Amino acid sequence: MSLVSEFNDYRQRMNEKILAADNKVIKRFFNLDTNTYQEGALDVKTKEIVGLACSMVLRCDDCIKYHLGKCFEEKLTDEEVYEVFAIANLIGGSIVIPHFRRAVEYWEALKEEAVTPAPEHSHDA
């Protein structure tokens, strides 16, 4: 399983489990997050750039992967992503570098997965 698929599958599976608990506060918090990143005075691309930079400074690898995925969906170029990386490293300092490395690895995996079709799975097994 690829780095990207593994992250997305785990995230989806756990979010379903969490939301199935039907806790009102948790559901509202998740909804707040969803609504924050929708188009508004700022476009989605800008919001995802901000989310990525903040996630790097806060050193949250899961958040970095999530926002990199969204930035990829928003068609950020390598140059744009590396400018976000530069800002995050400047603001966060050298402690961000290990997260920067993993972010580059994940960005490369997103690009590779987009050009390499996933193998078909047999439903007979």
Side-chain angles (χ1 to χ4, degrees):
M1 184 178 284
S2 79
L3 183 64
V4 175
S5 296
E6 186 178 320
F7 172 73
N8 288 327
D9 291 349
Y10 175 78
R11 185 177 179 280
Q12 181 178 347
R13 186 174 68 252
M14 294 311 298
N15 281 351
E16 287 171 2
K17 183 178 281 272
I18 289 165
L19 292 173
D22 203 29
N23 179 284
K24 181 173 66 173
V25 174
I26 290 171
K27 281 186 164 184
R28 287 183 177 175
F29 187 78
F30 274 49
N31 185 267
L32 181 63
D33 181 74
T34 299
N35 283 309
T36 297
Y37 287 95
Q38 291 181 355
E39 185 89 20
L42 297 174
D43 61 17
V44 172
K45 180 178 176 178
T46 302
K47 289 182 176 190
E48 291 302 336
I49 288 169
V50 171
L52 175 58
C54 290
S55 296
M56 289 184 71
V57 171
L58 292 170
R59 302 182 309 272
C60 175
D61 286 332
D62 280 8
C63 302
I64 293 167
K65 288 176 182 175
Y66 175 78
H67 289 292
L68 278 171
K70 291 298 186 181
C71 285
F72 188 79
E73 289 174 14
E74 291 298 315
K75 302 190 182 348
L76 265 73
T77 64
D78 286 351
E79 293 79 13
E80 290 171 315
V81 169
Y82 272 83
E83 284 193 16
V84 177
F85 291 161
I87 292 167
N89 277 282
L90 179 67
I91 294 170
S94 62
I95 197 166
V96 174
I97 291 172
H99 304 277
F100 173 37
R101 289 183 190 117
R102 288 187 288 275
V104 169
E105 175 187 31
Y106 196 76
W107 181 250
E108 293 298 320
L110 285 164
K111 294 189 307 180
E112 184 178 307
E113 192 168 292
V115 296
T116 307
E120 293 195 30
H121 293 56
S122 172
H123 295 292
D124 298 334

